[in-house]
Amino acid sequence: MNDTYALRRFAVVFDTEPDAEPATYRMQCAVCDAFGPTVEAVQGDDKSTLGARIEAAREASDWVRQHRSSNREHFTYRLIETHPYRLAPGEWRR
């Protein structure tokens, strides 16, 4: 009996499958760590992927004005982006 084993290489790639989770955007105050709402980059028939992401980031940043109006000393914020990735099977290695 002669058993042969092989290892498969995988690559981490951006998930563009139809069932992939959407990219999300959220603002966070760097002073108090409060978060704004999570906004999904929704792609429609007339929107490109980049256009949907830009629109979602803009919508997420609207929260900053609201937060700052009640926290006048908070000037520093961060944008948190979440993008779906997956492992794609590659070549077999013996």
Side-chain angles (χ1 to χ4, degrees), residues 1-7 92-94:
M1 180 182 215
N2 192 6
D3 293 332
T4 302
Y5 294 94
L7 298 175
W92 287 97
R93 188 178 73 170
R94 295 186 190 259

Side-chain angles (χ1 to χ4, degrees), residues 13-14 25 37-38 54 58 72 77-78 92:
V13 298
F14 189 72
Y25 296 83
T38 300
I54 291 170
R58 280 190 192 137
R72 300 305 289 171
Y77 297 85
R78 60 181 69 96
W92 287 97

Side-chain angles (χ1 to χ4, degrees), residues 46-91:
D46 59 340
K47 291 183 183 176
S48 70
T49 301
L50 180 59
R53 290 181 191 165
I54 291 170
E55 185 175 321
R58 280 190 192 137
E59 188 177 333
S61 68
D62 289 343
W63 172 81
V64 172
R65 284 190 292 280
Q66 174 189 348
H67 182 72
R68 186 155 183 282
S69 70
S70 58
N71 299 279
R72 300 305 289 171
E73 68 284 358
H74 295 194
F75 292 101
T76 309
Y77 297 85
R78 60 181 69 96
L79 176 65
I80 312 267
E81 298 181 39
T82 304
H83 300 281
Y85 282 82
R86 65 183 180 86
L87 290 176
E91 298 178 14

